[in-house]
Amino acid sequence: MSVRKILVPLAGRAEDVEVLTTALSVSRAFEAQLVVLFTRPDPTEALPYLGDGVSGQVIEDLMQAAREGADQASGRVKSALTKIAGDAGVPLAEKGGEVKLPSVRFLDVTGRRDEVVAAHSRLSDLIVFGEGTTGVAGGTALEAAMMSAGRPVLIAPQKSWNPVGGSVCIGWDDSAEAAHAVTAAIPFLEEAKKVTILCVGGKELDPGPGSTLADYLELHGVVADVHLVDAAGRAAGEVLLEQAEAAKTDLLVMGGYSHSRLREFIIGGVTQHIRSHATIPVLMAH
């Protein structure tokens, strides 16, 4: 298992710098290529919503303003990438040129963001997201990468992280989603100095699943401690984050959306809580 291509969808916001720095630290650790993806909206898609009474000149002005706004945002992303990569001594990959790792690439693609991200995620090993404008990490683009493209995602919240994965906590509930997250995280786990398996539940929590995971990881040369945590009636997501933060973890590994996205959105759930409250990097897979 290896990480050779890391995709980072960015929109030209101030917090892009922190996300880029975290993603580049992961890219350098694995000697991978970091591909920064900027998706510009297609202004013609808004035409049906303008109505018949809008003059051609107004339409042209609106489309021109949209193009200029996208150009400016794209320029901010590319400038940030160029500076951060240059400061780190990581080269910009040239199309058709010699493959160098680690390296960075910049893509500017027109289309619907979730569709573009999903398409480019399918042949990526890891997709890195920041918090987004809604306070929920990654927005619909994260769901597109994880659910539609079936790829693991890394939430990079609040600040720059380097390293990512020196100390790892695994939120383990014996689900298929958690298993997918663990296998996706093997490159991190193999390099980690400390790995803790957190099983959150009631007082009579079965130690068996945690031990089974520890046995599996041992085959990969990873020694992990198993901690059984009594949630005492509290939400599992809240307890999981609290335990990971208390252990000074710099990577939490967990399954995403064991329940439906609609159920999580309406009544809450572990995934939704983590996406809204994560203060440390989180690797999720579905």
mmCIF file of all heavy atoms in Angstrom, residues 17-54:
data_model
loop_
_atom_site.group_PDB
_atom_site.id
_atom_site.type_symbol
_atom_site.label_atom_id
_atom_site.label_comp_id
_atom_site.label_asym_id
_atom_site.label_seq_id
_atom_site.Cartn_x
_atom_site.Cartn_y
_atom_site.Cartn_z
ATOM 1 N N VAL A 17 -4.148 28.320 2.804
ATOM 2 C CA VAL A 17 -2.726 28.226 3.137
ATOM 3 C C VAL A 17 -2.488 27.127 4.163
ATOM 4 O O VAL A 17 -1.561 26.317 4.024
ATOM 5 C CB VAL A 17 -2.202 29.577 3.664
ATOM 6 C CG1 VAL A 17 -0.765 29.435 4.168
ATOM 7 C CG2 VAL A 17 -2.268 30.630 2.566
ATOM 8 N N GLU A 18 -3.333 27.073 5.207
ATOM 9 C CA GLU A 18 -3.174 26.048 6.239
ATOM 10 C C GLU A 18 -3.416 24.651 5.666
ATOM 11 O O GLU A 18 -2.681 23.701 5.965
ATOM 12 C CB GLU A 18 -4.126 26.308 7.404
ATOM 13 C CG GLU A 18 -3.695 27.416 8.348
ATOM 14 C CD GLU A 18 -3.878 28.799 7.758
ATOM 15 O OE1 GLU A 18 -4.701 28.944 6.826
ATOM 16 O OE2 GLU A 18 -3.204 29.737 8.215
ATOM 17 N N VAL A 19 -4.467 24.524 4.847
ATOM 18 C CA VAL A 19 -4.775 23.224 4.248
ATOM 19 C C VAL A 19 -3.632 22.770 3.339
ATOM 20 O O VAL A 19 -3.205 21.604 3.371
ATOM 21 C CB VAL A 19 -6.093 23.292 3.450
ATOM 22 C CG1 VAL A 19 -6.399 21.952 2.791
ATOM 23 C CG2 VAL A 19 -7.249 23.702 4.354
ATOM 24 N N LEU A 20 -3.124 23.686 2.544
ATOM 25 C CA LEU A 20 -2.013 23.371 1.642
ATOM 26 C C LEU A 20 -0.769 22.932 2.404
ATOM 27 O O LEU A 20 -0.091 21.970 2.026
ATOM 28 C CB LEU A 20 -1.678 24.602 0.792
ATOM 29 C CG LEU A 20 -2.234 24.660 -0.621
ATOM 30 C CD1 LEU A 20 -1.863 25.983 -1.266
ATOM 31 C CD2 LEU A 20 -1.718 23.507 -1.459
ATOM 32 N N THR A 21 -0.470 23.633 3.475
ATOM 33 C CA THR A 21 0.719 23.305 4.260
ATOM 34 C C THR A 21 0.604 21.911 4.855
ATOM 35 O O THR A 21 1.569 21.130 4.839
ATOM 36 C CB THR A 21 0.921 24.344 5.368
ATOM 37 O OG1 THR A 21 1.022 25.656 4.789
ATOM 38 C CG2 THR A 21 2.189 24.060 6.162
ATOM 39 N N THR A 22 -0.575 21.581 5.388
ATOM 40 C CA THR A 22 -0.796 20.248 5.936
ATOM 41 C C THR A 22 -0.679 19.190 4.840
ATOM 42 O O THR A 22 -0.013 18.169 5.014
ATOM 43 C CB THR A 22 -2.180 20.161 6.595
ATOM 44 O OG1 THR A 22 -2.237 21.095 7.678
ATOM 45 C CG2 THR A 22 -2.462 18.764 7.115
ATOM 46 N N ALA A 23 -1.338 19.434 3.702
ATOM 47 C CA ALA A 23 -1.313 18.468 2.605
ATOM 48 C C ALA A 23 0.101 18.268 2.076
ATOM 49 O O ALA A 23 0.506 17.148 1.746
ATOM 50 C CB ALA A 23 -2.238 18.930 1.488
ATOM 51 N N LEU A 24 0.869 19.359 1.997
ATOM 52 C CA LEU A 24 2.233 19.241 1.490
ATOM 53 C C LEU A 24 3.117 18.463 2.454
ATOM 54 O O LEU A 24 3.996 17.705 2.029
ATOM 55 C CB LEU A 24 2.826 20.630 1.233
ATOM 56 C CG LEU A 24 4.174 20.643 0.505
ATOM 57 C CD1 LEU A 24 4.047 20.016 -0.878
ATOM 58 C CD2 LEU A 24 4.723 22.057 0.396
ATOM 59 N N SER A 25 2.868 18.600 3.755
ATOM 60 C CA SER A 25 3.658 17.830 4.719
ATOM 61 C C SER A 25 3.399 16.336 4.547
ATOM 62 O O SER A 25 4.333 15.514 4.652
ATOM 63 C CB SER A 25 3.334 18.263 6.153
ATOM 64 O OG SER A 25 2.069 17.802 6.576
ATOM 65 N N VAL A 26 2.148 15.957 4.260
ATOM 66 C CA VAL A 26 1.822 14.552 4.004
ATOM 67 C C VAL A 26 2.463 14.094 2.700
ATOM 68 O O VAL A 26 3.028 12.991 2.610
ATOM 69 C CB VAL A 26 0.296 14.342 3.957
ATOM 70 C CG1 VAL A 26 -0.048 12.896 3.616
ATOM 71 C CG2 VAL A 26 -0.349 14.729 5.291
ATOM 72 N N SER A 27 2.389 14.953 1.687
ATOM 73 C CA SER A 27 2.971 14.619 0.385
ATOM 74 C C SER A 27 4.470 14.374 0.490
ATOM 75 O O SER A 27 5.007 13.415 -0.082
ATOM 76 C CB SER A 27 2.692 15.757 -0.599
ATOM 77 O OG SER A 27 3.324 15.529 -1.836
ATOM 78 N N ARG A 28 5.156 15.201 1.235
ATOM 79 C CA ARG A 28 6.602 15.040 1.394
ATOM 80 C C ARG A 28 6.932 13.774 2.197
ATOM 81 O O ARG A 28 7.900 13.070 1.889
ATOM 82 C CB ARG A 28 7.194 16.269 2.078
ATOM 83 C CG ARG A 28 7.082 17.546 1.247
ATOM 84 C CD ARG A 28 7.601 18.738 2.008
ATOM 85 N NE ARG A 28 9.053 18.715 2.115
ATOM 86 C CZ ARG A 28 9.758 19.535 2.901
ATOM 87 N NH1 ARG A 28 9.117 20.414 3.662
ATOM 88 N NH2 ARG A 28 11.061 19.466 2.937
ATOM 89 N N ALA A 29 6.102 13.478 3.213
ATOM 90 C CA ALA A 29 6.354 12.297 4.035
ATOM 91 C C ALA A 29 6.272 11.011 3.212
ATOM 92 O O ALA A 29 7.034 10.066 3.437
ATOM 93 C CB ALA A 29 5.360 12.252 5.193
ATOM 94 N N PHE A 30 5.342 10.982 2.249
ATOM 95 C CA PHE A 30 5.143 9.780 1.440
ATOM 96 C C PHE A 30 5.797 9.874 0.065
ATOM 97 O O PHE A 30 5.639 8.967 -0.757
ATOM 98 C CB PHE A 30 3.650 9.500 1.271
ATOM 99 C CG PHE A 30 2.961 9.091 2.548
ATOM 100 C CD1 PHE A 30 1.846 9.768 2.998
ATOM 101 C CD2 PHE A 30 3.430 8.029 3.300
ATOM 102 C CE1 PHE A 30 1.207 9.402 4.175
ATOM 103 C CE2 PHE A 30 2.804 7.652 4.478
ATOM 104 C CZ PHE A 30 1.691 8.339 4.916
ATOM 105 N N GLU A 31 6.494 10.979 -0.199
ATOM 106 C CA GLU A 31 7.079 11.222 -1.517
ATOM 107 C C GLU A 31 6.012 11.060 -2.604
ATOM 108 O O GLU A 31 6.173 10.290 -3.556
ATOM 109 C CB GLU A 31 8.275 10.299 -1.767
ATOM 110 C CG GLU A 31 9.437 10.562 -0.821
ATOM 111 C CD GLU A 31 10.693 9.813 -1.215
ATOM 112 O OE1 GLU A 31 10.591 8.863 -2.019
ATOM 113 O OE2 GLU A 31 11.775 10.187 -0.731
ATOM 114 N N ALA A 32 4.937 11.800 -2.438
ATOM 115 C CA ALA A 32 3.792 11.743 -3.353
ATOM 116 C C ALA A 32 3.667 13.045 -4.128
ATOM 117 O O ALA A 32 4.283 14.057 -3.793
ATOM 118 C CB ALA A 32 2.510 11.487 -2.554
ATOM 119 N N GLN A 33 2.851 12.996 -5.171
ATOM 120 C CA GLN A 33 2.537 14.215 -5.907
ATOM 121 C C GLN A 33 1.283 14.854 -5.326
ATOM 122 O O GLN A 33 0.271 14.185 -5.114
ATOM 123 C CB GLN A 33 2.313 13.926 -7.393
ATOM 124 C CG GLN A 33 2.107 15.197 -8.206
ATOM 125 C CD GLN A 33 2.095 14.929 -9.698
ATOM 126 O OE1 GLN A 33 1.051 14.736 -10.287
ATOM 127 N NE2 GLN A 33 3.280 14.919 -10.321
ATOM 128 N N LEU A 34 1.367 16.143 -5.057
ATOM 129 C CA LEU A 34 0.240 16.901 -4.534
ATOM 130 C C LEU A 34 -0.428 17.622 -5.704
ATOM 131 O O LEU A 34 0.193 18.449 -6.367
ATOM 132 C CB LEU A 34 0.719 17.919 -3.499
ATOM 133 C CG LEU A 34 -0.356 18.764 -2.817
ATOM 134 C CD1 LEU A 34 -1.237 17.897 -1.947
ATOM 135 C CD2 LEU A 34 0.288 19.873 -1.993
ATOM 136 N N VAL A 35 -1.695 17.280 -5.969
ATOM 137 C CA VAL A 35 -2.434 17.877 -7.074
ATOM 138 C C VAL A 35 -3.485 18.827 -6.488
ATOM 139 O O VAL A 35 -4.402 18.397 -5.793
ATOM 140 C CB VAL A 35 -3.129 16.813 -7.939
ATOM 141 C CG1 VAL A 35 -3.916 17.462 -9.067
ATOM 142 C CG2 VAL A 35 -2.093 15.844 -8.500
ATOM 143 N N VAL A 36 -3.310 20.110 -6.744
ATOM 144 C CA VAL A 36 -4.238 21.124 -6.243
ATOM 145 C C VAL A 36 -5.275 21.397 -7.330
ATOM 146 O O VAL A 36 -4.932 21.752 -8.460
ATOM 147 C CB VAL A 36 -3.493 22.402 -5.853
ATOM 148 C CG1 VAL A 36 -4.477 23.504 -5.479
ATOM 149 C CG2 VAL A 36 -2.554 22.120 -4.683
ATOM 150 N N LEU A 37 -6.540 21.226 -6.957
ATOM 151 C CA LEU A 37 -7.638 21.331 -7.920
ATOM 152 C C LEU A 37 -8.501 22.550 -7.621
ATOM 153 O O LEU A 37 -9.104 22.652 -6.548
ATOM 154 C CB LEU A 37 -8.500 20.061 -7.859
ATOM 155 C CG LEU A 37 -9.774 20.040 -8.699
ATOM 156 C CD1 LEU A 37 -9.442 20.087 -10.196
ATOM 157 C CD2 LEU A 37 -10.598 18.790 -8.385
ATOM 158 N N PHE A 38 -8.562 23.470 -8.561
ATOM 159 C CA PHE A 38 -9.485 24.603 -8.473
ATOM 160 C C PHE A 38 -10.618 24.375 -9.461
ATOM 161 O O PHE A 38 -10.385 24.126 -10.647
ATOM 162 C CB PHE A 38 -8.789 25.924 -8.795
ATOM 163 C CG PHE A 38 -9.737 27.094 -8.840
ATOM 164 C CD1 PHE A 38 -10.189 27.682 -7.675
ATOM 165 C CD2 PHE A 38 -10.206 27.587 -10.059
ATOM 166 C CE1 PHE A 38 -11.087 28.746 -7.709
ATOM 167 C CE2 PHE A 38 -11.096 28.647 -10.105
ATOM 168 C CZ PHE A 38 -11.536 29.235 -8.930
ATOM 169 N N THR A 39 -11.850 24.426 -8.972
ATOM 170 C CA THR A 39 -13.019 24.243 -9.842
ATOM 171 C C THR A 39 -13.727 25.565 -10.015
ATOM 172 O O THR A 39 -14.206 26.166 -9.051
ATOM 173 C CB THR A 39 -13.999 23.224 -9.229
ATOM 174 O OG1 THR A 39 -13.310 22.006 -8.966
ATOM 175 C CG2 THR A 39 -15.152 22.957 -10.183
ATOM 176 N N ARG A 40 -13.793 26.034 -11.262
ATOM 177 C CA ARG A 40 -14.488 27.290 -11.529
ATOM 178 C C ARG A 40 -15.892 26.986 -12.042
ATOM 179 O O ARG A 40 -16.089 26.108 -12.884
ATOM 180 C CB ARG A 40 -13.731 28.148 -12.533
ATOM 181 C CG ARG A 40 -13.532 27.555 -13.910
ATOM 182 C CD ARG A 40 -12.862 28.565 -14.840
ATOM 183 N NE ARG A 40 -11.539 28.955 -14.379
ATOM 184 C CZ ARG A 40 -11.100 30.219 -14.403
ATOM 185 N NH1 ARG A 40 -11.872 31.186 -14.875
ATOM 186 N NH2 ARG A 40 -9.883 30.504 -13.983
ATOM 187 N N PRO A 41 -16.906 27.676 -11.511
ATOM 188 C CA PRO A 41 -18.272 27.436 -11.975
ATOM 189 C C PRO A 41 -18.441 27.865 -13.424
ATOM 190 O O PRO A 41 -17.813 28.819 -13.880
ATOM 191 C CB PRO A 41 -19.119 28.300 -11.036
ATOM 192 C CG PRO A 41 -18.189 29.354 -10.531
ATOM 193 C CD PRO A 41 -16.830 28.726 -10.481
ATOM 194 N N ASP A 42 -19.277 27.150 -14.135
ATOM 195 C CA ASP A 42 -19.615 27.510 -15.516
ATOM 196 C C ASP A 42 -20.724 28.548 -15.468
ATOM 197 O O ASP A 42 -21.860 28.235 -15.095
ATOM 198 C CB ASP A 42 -20.088 26.271 -16.270
ATOM 199 C CG ASP A 42 -20.362 26.560 -17.738
ATOM 200 O OD1 ASP A 42 -20.359 27.747 -18.123
ATOM 201 O OD2 ASP A 42 -20.611 25.601 -18.496
ATOM 202 N N PRO A 43 -20.461 29.821 -15.817
ATOM 203 C CA PRO A 43 -21.479 30.867 -15.688
ATOM 204 C C PRO A 43 -22.705 30.640 -16.563
ATOM 205 O O PRO A 43 -23.791 31.146 -16.266
ATOM 206 C CB PRO A 43 -20.738 32.150 -16.090
ATOM 207 C CG PRO A 43 -19.565 31.692 -16.880
ATOM 208 C CD PRO A 43 -19.187 30.357 -16.335
ATOM 209 N N THR A 44 -22.570 29.861 -17.635
ATOM 210 C CA THR A 44 -23.722 29.625 -18.507
ATOM 211 C C THR A 44 -24.790 28.778 -17.811
ATOM 212 O O THR A 44 -25.951 28.798 -18.211
ATOM 213 C CB THR A 44 -23.285 28.926 -19.810
ATOM 214 O OG1 THR A 44 -22.715 27.655 -19.497
ATOM 215 C CG2 THR A 44 -22.266 29.771 -20.550
ATOM 216 N N GLU A 45 -24.407 28.022 -16.757
ATOM 217 C CA GLU A 45 -25.388 27.200 -16.068
ATOM 218 C C GLU A 45 -26.414 28.037 -15.310
ATOM 219 O O GLU A 45 -27.481 27.541 -14.954
ATOM 220 C CB GLU A 45 -24.679 26.240 -15.096
ATOM 221 C CG GLU A 45 -23.875 25.158 -15.804
ATOM 222 C CD GLU A 45 -23.309 24.135 -14.836
ATOM 223 O OE1 GLU A 45 -23.476 24.336 -13.608
ATOM 224 O OE2 GLU A 45 -22.722 23.144 -15.301
ATOM 225 N N ALA A 46 -26.074 29.302 -15.036
ATOM 226 C CA ALA A 46 -27.004 30.172 -14.310
ATOM 227 C C ALA A 46 -28.011 30.850 -15.234
ATOM 228 O O ALA A 46 -28.988 31.437 -14.755
ATOM 229 C CB ALA A 46 -26.227 31.242 -13.545
ATOM 230 N N LEU A 47 -27.822 30.756 -16.537
ATOM 231 C CA LEU A 47 -28.691 31.472 -17.480
ATOM 232 C C LEU A 47 -30.166 31.115 -17.343
ATOM 233 O O LEU A 47 -31.027 32.005 -17.388
ATOM 234 C CB LEU A 47 -28.218 31.239 -18.918
ATOM 235 C CG LEU A 47 -26.842 31.816 -19.270
ATOM 236 C CD1 LEU A 47 -26.500 31.527 -20.729
ATOM 237 C CD2 LEU A 47 -26.820 33.321 -19.007
ATOM 238 N N PRO A 48 -30.548 29.841 -17.185
ATOM 239 C CA PRO A 48 -31.977 29.524 -17.077
ATOM 240 C C PRO A 48 -32.668 30.176 -15.886
ATOM 241 O O PRO A 48 -33.888 30.311 -15.878
ATOM 242 C CB PRO A 48 -31.987 27.988 -16.934
ATOM 243 C CG PRO A 48 -30.699 27.550 -17.541
ATOM 244 C CD PRO A 48 -29.730 28.620 -17.196
ATOM 245 N N TYR A 49 -31.886 30.580 -14.871
ATOM 246 C CA TYR A 49 -32.483 31.159 -13.662
ATOM 247 C C TYR A 49 -32.620 32.674 -13.736
ATOM 248 O O TYR A 49 -33.168 33.303 -12.827
ATOM 249 C CB TYR A 49 -31.628 30.785 -12.443
ATOM 250 C CG TYR A 49 -31.478 29.304 -12.256
ATOM 251 C CD1 TYR A 49 -30.328 28.639 -12.700
ATOM 252 C CD2 TYR A 49 -32.479 28.549 -11.649
ATOM 253 C CE1 TYR A 49 -30.185 27.267 -12.540
ATOM 254 C CE2 TYR A 49 -32.336 27.181 -11.495
ATOM 255 C CZ TYR A 49 -31.191 26.550 -11.938
ATOM 256 O OH TYR A 49 -31.055 25.200 -11.781
ATOM 257 N N LEU A 50 -32.115 33.286 -14.811
ATOM 258 C CA LEU A 50 -32.162 34.742 -14.912
ATOM 259 C C LEU A 50 -33.506 35.257 -15.421
ATOM 260 O O LEU A 50 -33.856 36.408 -15.198
ATOM 261 C CB LEU A 50 -31.033 35.233 -15.835
ATOM 262 C CG LEU A 50 -29.613 34.984 -15.326
ATOM 263 C CD1 LEU A 50 -28.595 35.465 -16.351
ATOM 264 C CD2 LEU A 50 -29.388 35.688 -13.988
ATOM 265 N N GLY A 51 -34.260 34.431 -16.105
ATOM 266 C CA GLY A 51 -35.565 34.867 -16.605
ATOM 267 C C GLY A 51 -35.474 35.493 -17.976
ATOM 268 O O GLY A 51 -34.402 35.860 -18.464
ATOM 269 N N ASP A 52 -36.636 35.626 -18.606
ATOM 270 C CA ASP A 52 -36.684 36.130 -19.985
ATOM 271 C C ASP A 52 -36.511 37.636 -20.078
ATOM 272 O O ASP A 52 -36.188 38.160 -21.141
ATOM 273 C CB ASP A 52 -38.026 35.747 -20.638
ATOM 274 C CG ASP A 52 -38.178 34.238 -20.761
ATOM 275 O OD1 ASP A 52 -37.134 33.559 -20.850
ATOM 276 O OD2 ASP A 52 -39.332 33.750 -20.741
ATOM 277 N N GLY A 53 -36.749 38.359 -18.980
ATOM 278 C CA GLY A 53 -36.728 39.827 -19.055
ATOM 279 C C GLY A 53 -35.358 40.437 -18.912
ATOM 280 O O GLY A 53 -35.227 41.667 -18.923
ATOM 281 N N VAL A 54 -34.320 39.625 -18.758
ATOM 282 C CA VAL A 54 -32.975 40.149 -18.556
ATOM 283 C C VAL A 54 -32.327 40.396 -19.915
ATOM 284 O O VAL A 54 -32.332 39.529 -20.787
ATOM 285 C CB VAL A 54 -32.128 39.162 -17.734
ATOM 286 C CG1 VAL A 54 -30.726 39.724 -17.521
ATOM 287 C CG2 VAL A 54 -32.791 38.876 -16.401
#
